[in-house]
Amino acid sequence: MAYSVKVGALQCHILSDGLHYVDGGGFFGLIPRSMWQEVIEPNANNQIACDSRSLLIESDAGLILVDVGNGDKLPPKARQRLGMDDRSSRLVGELQRVGFRPEDVDIVLFTHFHGDHIGGATRWDSADGTPGPVVPVFPRARYIGQRIELADASFPNERTAATYVPDNFRPLIEWGMLEVVDGPLRLAHGVRTDIAPGHTAYVQTIWVEDGGESLLFLTDAASWAVHLERLAWVPAFDTFPLTSMETKRRLRQAAAERDALLVFQHDAQVVTGRLAPGKRGLEVRPEITEPAQFDASL
Ligand SMILES: [Zn+2]
């Protein structure tokens, strides 16, 4: 589902590339299933529904799209394993639903280079989706990513290789479309990035701020609302788990001070929320929630 929110005078849209299903242990790491299944019920394969959201910002530097989902290039076996039914990426349809075409996008910002965040930047150049040469999905855009993230993606190790797919980013380099940056950026009036290490070495979150209001797009610094509420709940995916905890501590403080609207990229249930004191300290009060759209029997 696409949702539109205003941050001061800045119009933002939260778009989804659709659900996929991953092992619950991936998102909840050391936390026993008896605890995390109270947050989300797994299917018979122990998989939980996972959304792939993007943030679209109508800024004075043009249309900025943060992350682009899995896209269409995953082989049939991978799609089957991830419980993805239809072939076509939903992100372009969602973009059209809020009034834009792929060629309207000026900047594509990658939070990091994992396949579920940048796969949708390119697609196979064929009508039937058969593999071959790729073309950019957003033909006019500058694509922006962090240098350390590109280095990690370009030289993966045995643990990271599966998610760093060269077809997702190498063609962008060859076409001269990928702009590599070092550290936090100010992209437009009220739009900036912040390095939030833990999930990867240089993953970046996005802050949108205008008129005394703030939005924080957390990417995998806190993939789900519960990850921000409970510092010890660190995904098994994270390459630097103890750093993730300290990053979350800092982000929670910053978000609470600003009463920021939090956008969760992978939470299948809580799209946005704000921090408020609760029984266990700061808790997320959901604002936009998804209707139960996933099938626990899948
Ligand atoms: Zn992710």
Side-chain angles (χ1 to χ4, degrees), residues 8 34 36 39 43 49 66 71 79 82 84 105 127 130 153 174 180 195 217 241 246 287 298:
S34 58
W36 63 250
V39 176
N43 66 17
V66 181
R79 296 185 71 81
L82 292 166
M84 298 164 80
V105 175
T130 44
E174 284 160 23
V180 175
I195 308 301
F217 185 78
E246 295 316 313
E287 291 198 3
L298 254 178

Side-chain angles (χ1 to χ4, degrees), residues 81-123:
R81 194 175 57 238
L82 292 166
M84 298 164 80
D85 39 17
D86 55 355
R87 237 215 108 74
S88 57
S89 156
R90 295 175 202 192
L91 180 60
V92 169
E94 294 254 305
L95 191 64
Q96 282 161 350
R97 215 159 292 145
V98 297
F100 299 102
R101 300 160 306 162
E103 47 273 42
D104 296 329
V105 175
D106 297 284
I107 296 173
V108 172
L109 183 77
F110 296 147
T111 59
H112 59 300
F113 280 66
H114 283 169
D116 57 322
H117 296 256
I118 72 166
T122 58
R123 60 176 170 78

Side-chain angles (χ1 to χ4, degrees), residues 166-226:
D167 267 335
N168 287 346
F169 57 90
R170 271 201 202 138
L172 298 173
I173 301 173
E174 284 160 23
W175 301 324
M177 295 177 91
L178 183 65
E179 198 174 305
V180 175
V181 297
D182 287 297
L185 280 183
R186 186 186 176 281
L187 282 163
H189 165 80
V191 184
R192 64 183 171 90
T193 70
D194 178 35
I195 308 301
H199 180 63
T200 62
Y202 245 66
V203 54
Q204 53 188 350
T205 58
I206 315 309
W207 285 92
V208 181
E209 295 163 307
D210 189 57
E213 295 181 1
S214 299
L215 175 152
L216 173 58
F217 185 78
L218 283 150
T219 182
D220 281 312
S223 315
W224 291 58
V226 71

